[in-house]
Amino acid sequence: MSDAVMTIGGEPVPVAGTFGVRNPATGEVFAEAPECSRAQLDAAFDAAAKAFSSWRSDEALRRQTLLRMADVLMASAGEIAPVLTAEQGKPLGDASMEVFAAALWCQYFANLETPPQTIQDDTDALVQVYRRPLGVVAAITPWNFPLTLAFWKIAPALLAGNTLVVKPSPFTPLSTLKTVELLGEVLPPGVVNAVSGGDELGAWMTGHPIPRKVSFTGSIETGKKVALSAAPDLKRVTLELGGNDPAIVLDDADPALVARAIFAGAFNNNGQVCSAVKRVYVPEALYGDVVDALASHASAAAVGDGTDPATKLGPINNAPQYERVKELVADAIAGGARAVTGGHPMDRPGYFFEPTILADVSDGTRIVDEEQFGPALPVISYRDVDDALDRANGTHFGLSGSVWSADPDRAAEIAGRLECGTAWVNTHLALGPQQPFGGCKWSGIGVENGPWGLSEFTEVQALYRSRTADGLNISTAGLVS
Ligand code: NAD
């Protein structure tokens, strides 16, 4: 798997230098990825800029190309998914789902209507509001869902008429490079360019003079650097950043039912989901039952290499993240938390950590206050639901959250008071291409998906056609008499 190539201007680029990519199930380097040079990045942005004017001018071609991209993705899942599993660690079935999700996003945006809005149509004028493309987009993605998150950017950016340079995480570059290479079959040259390299490559991109927009998904820390770097050039930014999602269980909930769904919402992708459940608030009366039910799901989960069909949870993706999860769990236990199940790294090669449920833990503990982004879930007891809500909201995070109850209306009222971009009732992680997704507070700026996400890849243009003979339409009273 060392044949990864960057695609610039529709062509594979000769490799200058490379860096190693590790398989998190073994901890070993299994492939080399191209290290993009400054000159190659310039070439990628030049190619995207050159492709922009014809791409923006043919909406029918854009829609048709997105549909053809979906076909290529569907047909290539068998080729792309093993690469994704090897570099990311997720089970092969989940890796295939990522490719299918990428196809679904292409189909959704191919069919999303974007008519101009008519705001005046009379004897004076026809005034319509259009959405125009921004130009070249720099798209930067993290390692947890390399393909899904890339296509949350690529599909709407393309429909809007932009061209892109995409940079995946240095931990997971190969599946994105392979996918863009395969899409060369249907994409005009330069419309989507893919480059790979370390974090400094991301910084070069955000500081580069060509892109007019940075669409970034990653950590809060990096998101702030991206905002700073984009500011002097007034680049548009969308920032999809970290989360610390609370799940609040109400006192009328069925512990077994909610534990099953909360476990799924917390341990999806081995907990490495921006909007996974990351802390659970449970009323005292239900606390023991919910903790035990969560622990039984965690201890039954099959952890292993993503290529093993029995595997439900893979490894943590990379060494720094593995160390972080170890550190946060150890810190909680040292502070008095009880690992009802798990609590330790697994005694095998690779970055495997036991699925962990932590009880007797409270706010003020690092694993509750910070984003763990891994297979360890703290469960916190509460007496008063308003207090639980205050604690859920009392943070810089604001990505999403959920409320669980036998009474959905009561839960919806409380969910509406969560300070976050997505509030779920009796579920968590329900997402789709039509549904806006983004964070409040430090969890982000802007949204992705749906018409709202699409408009972030556009600029508003009011197109005013005068219908008066003399063209004097200045309506501000008193300016013209
Ligand atoms: P990260 O911020 O370390 O890296 C993300 C990307 O940014 C990578 O491609 C990286 O190379 C690049 N990068 C690093 N430094 C940069 C810089 N100075 N300028 C520009 N780009 C730079 O994040 P990560 O560890 O890859 O991902 C995990 C984080 O992402 C978690 O916090 C998670 O919650 C968040 N995330 C958020 C969402 C969302 O939609 N809100 C989705 C998935 C992950």
Side-chain angles (χ1 to χ4, degrees):
M1 284 195 192
S2 54
D3 59 345
V5 290
M6 302 193 296
T7 300
I8 297 178
E11 299 290 335
V13 190
V15 175
T18 64
F19 61 96
V21 182
R22 283 177 200 276
N23 181 335
T26 63
E28 303 294 330
V29 170
F30 74 99
E32 294 291 317
E35 181 94 57
C36 184
S37 68
R38 281 256 190 193
Q40 287 172 324
L41 182 65
D42 288 343
F45 279 126
D46 285 343
K50 198 163 150 238
F52 175 58
S53 78
S54 61
W55 183 248
R56 74 169 293 173
S57 63
D58 193 342
E59 183 181 332
L61 174 70
R62 298 202 297 273
R63 291 184 186 279
Q64 186 194 34
T65 303
L66 279 163
L67 290 175
R68 294 181 69 202
M69 287 167 68
D71 292 342
V72 171
L73 289 163
M74 296 295 280
S76 312
E79 191 175 349
I80 299 168
V83 180
L84 178 54
T85 291
E87 67 180 357
Q88 208 286 330
K90 65 182 63 196
L92 206 47
D94 293 358
S96 301
M97 288 305 294
E98 267 211 56
V99 185
F100 297 145
L104 178 67
W105 256 252
C106 289
Q107 284 165 344
Y108 169 79
F109 281 103
N111 292 308
L112 182 63
E113 291 301 327
T114 54
Q117 236 181 308
T118 300
I119 55 172
Q120 185 180 344
D121 185 2
D122 57 24
T123 51
D124 276 352
L126 172 64
V127 187
Q128 292 178 299
V129 178
Y130 283 82
R131 291 276 175 179
R132 304 298 189 197
L134 295 164
V136 176
V137 173
I140 301 174
T141 54
W143 46 259
N144 59 339
F145 288 94
L147 291 180
T148 304
L149 296 173
F151 280 82
W152 285 21
K153 305 180 187 314
I154 293 171
L158 290 185
L159 173 63
N162 305 282
T163 57
L164 299 102
V165 176
V166 183
K167 186 201 93 66
S169 163
F171 293 114
T172 55
L174 305 174
S175 51
T176 304
L177 294 181
K178 172 56 71 186
T179 302
V180 174
E181 185 192 350
L182 291 169
L183 289 172
E185 193 186 321
V186 295
L187 275 164
V191 167
V192 180
N193 306 274
V195 295
S196 61
D199 291 347
E200 70 290 347
L201 177 61
W204 295 349
M205 289 172 75
T206 60
H208 199 280
I210 288 184
R212 295 311 317 144
K213 160 102 190 176
V214 180
S215 181
F216 172 84
T217 304
S219 63
I220 290 173
E221 193 188 355
T222 310
K224 290 180 179 178
K225 289 184 195 160
V226 169
L228 268 176
S229 169
D233 190 29
L234 297 182
K235 289 185 179 74
R236 278 40 179 169
V237 288
T238 297
L239 303 174
E240 293 287 0
L241 309 178
N244 190 8
D245 285 16
I248 302 179
V249 177
L250 302 188
D251 53 11
D252 60 357
D254 176 331
L257 266 183
V258 300
R260 185 161 172 268
I262 289 176
F263 178 79
F267 285 78
N268 182 293
N269 208 36
N270 209 21
Q272 302 162 116
V273 185
C274 52
S275 52
V277 176
K278 301 209 172 97
R279 46 195 173 126
V280 189
Y281 291 90
V282 182
E284 279 177 353
L286 302 183
Y287 189 75
D289 288 348
V290 172
V291 164
D292 289 348
L294 283 169
S296 73
H297 288 292
S299 46
V303 181
D305 189 315
T307 56
D308 179 345
T311 294
K312 291 278 181 270
L313 304 181
I316 292 172
N317 174 255
N318 57 71
Q321 187 58 29
Y322 175 66
E323 292 303 324
R324 179 170 166 76
V325 172
K326 275 201 296 193
E327 183 183 314
L328 290 183
V329 171
D331 172 79
I333 292 171
R338 181 165 54 94
V340 187
T341 187
H344 304 99
M346 292 170 77
D347 187 17
R348 57 181 288 177
Y351 310 129
F352 288 96
F353 196 90
E354 296 169 347
T356 298
I357 301 296
L358 292 169
D360 305 336
V361 59
S362 60
D363 303 83
T365 309
R366 285 185 64 198
I367 201 161
V368 179
D369 295 354
E370 299 178 22
E371 180 183 32
Q372 67 272 44
F373 215 61
L377 183 65
V379 190
I380 306 129
S381 76
Y382 74 83
R383 274 197 190 149
D384 169 62
V385 72
D386 285 328
D387 178 48
L389 197 55
D390 283 348
R391 288 195 260 159
N393 286 335
T395 152
H396 286 300
F397 296 98
L399 195 55
S400 30
S402 53
V403 181
W404 303 76
S405 167
D407 178 348
D409 291 335
R410 180 179 168 224
E413 190 276 320
I414 293 167
R417 290 157 62 199
L418 282 170
E419 294 166 1
C420 60
T422 306
W424 287 288
V425 169
N426 290 335
T427 190
H428 204 103
L429 288 183
L431 297 165
Q434 73 291 346
Q435 187 176 310
F437 181 79
C440 302
K441 301 191 258 185
W442 285 6
S443 288
I445 292 178
V447 296
E448 296 192 296
N449 302 332
W452 305 272
L454 176 66
S455 59
E456 301 224 355
F457 289 102
T458 66
E459 209 81 86
V460 166
Q461 183 186 55
L463 188 65
Y464 190 113
R465 300 186 220 194
S466 174
R467 284 174 173 158
T468 62
D470 58 7
L472 280 175
N473 295 86
I474 302 170
S475 57
T476 308
L479 276 184
V480 173
S481 55

